[in-house]
Amino acid sequence: MKPSQTHRPTVGSLFAGIGGFDLGFERAGFITSWQVEIHDICRSVLADRFPHAKQHKDVRTCLPELTPVDVIVGGFPCQDVSIMGRRAGLNGQRTGLFFNAMHIVASLAPRWLVLENVCGLISSHDGRDLQTVIETLVPMRVCGVLARA
């Protein structure tokens, strides 16, 4: 690296959607290394907005191809904890993808983790789902933020 160049911290995005987290981090000086998003239309938008980021389709299968990053961001699916849903919680097919995401986080060991979900996570299964999320995060020893939408 030339002396005039500085290291730009890297970010990886799980459940990337159309790149809201990614855009914010890039505006703060980060570079998006990779994005994982299952929806084809969203991936098309991501490819247009972030041509430098490697695209991946599924959190259940992408790990071997992901590279370490400084920060992992993501808003894991909320349908199963939303007060508007059936409240299957972390046992639900969609919200349960949280565990696949945390396997990625544990494997790549980023310095920071930023997660987002809906306020229904707090009350899902009388708070036990939020407790599970916290208990899953603690041993990872990443600096984390759990925000609500």
Side-chain angles (χ1 to χ4, degrees):
M1 181 172 355
K2 295 179 183 177
S4 62
Q5 292 178 323
T6 59
H7 169 72
R8 287 181 67 189
T10 55
V11 63
S13 185
L14 301 172
F15 313 105
I18 58 169
F21 269 131
D22 314 32
L23 180 61
F25 272 83
E26 289 213 345
R27 287 185 177 170
F30 288 70
I31 183 78
T32 305
S33 294
W34 48 260
Q35 298 161 313
V36 183
E37 175 53 53
I38 199 161
H39 297 290
D40 294 335
I41 293 172
C42 292
R43 272 197 327 282
S44 294
V45 172
L46 292 170
D48 183 55
R49 290 183 175 174
F50 305 92
H52 53 278
K54 183 154 168 88
Q55 304 294 316
H56 303 277
K57 185 171 184 171
D58 195 328
V59 297
R60 295 169 291 188
T61 59
C62 65
L63 183 57
E65 299 176 34
L66 299 181
T67 56
V69 291
D70 297 304
V71 180
I72 293 180
V73 299
F76 61 98
C78 65
Q79 292 90 337
D80 299 312
V81 294
S82 170
I83 59 173
M84 299 302 291
R86 295 185 184 203
R87 308 286 282 174
L90 289 172
N91 296 323
Q93 199 170 24
R94 292 179 176 174
T95 303
L97 293 172
F98 164 79
F99 296 107
N100 298 91
M102 293 308 98
H103 178 67
I104 291 169
V105 172
S107 298
L108 297 181
R111 182 171 179 194
W112 291 89
L113 172 65
V114 178
L115 293 177
E116 177 273 336
N117 211 282
V118 296
C119 60
L121 176 62
I122 295 168
S123 62
S124 180
H125 291 120
D126 295 320
R128 289 188 304 278
D129 284 342
L130 178 60
Q131 180 178 346
T132 299
V133 166
I134 293 168
E135 289 173 350
T136 302
L137 293 172
V138 168
M140 291 186 199
R141 298 179 188 245
V142 293
C143 298
V145 176
L146 180 65
R148 70 168 235 223

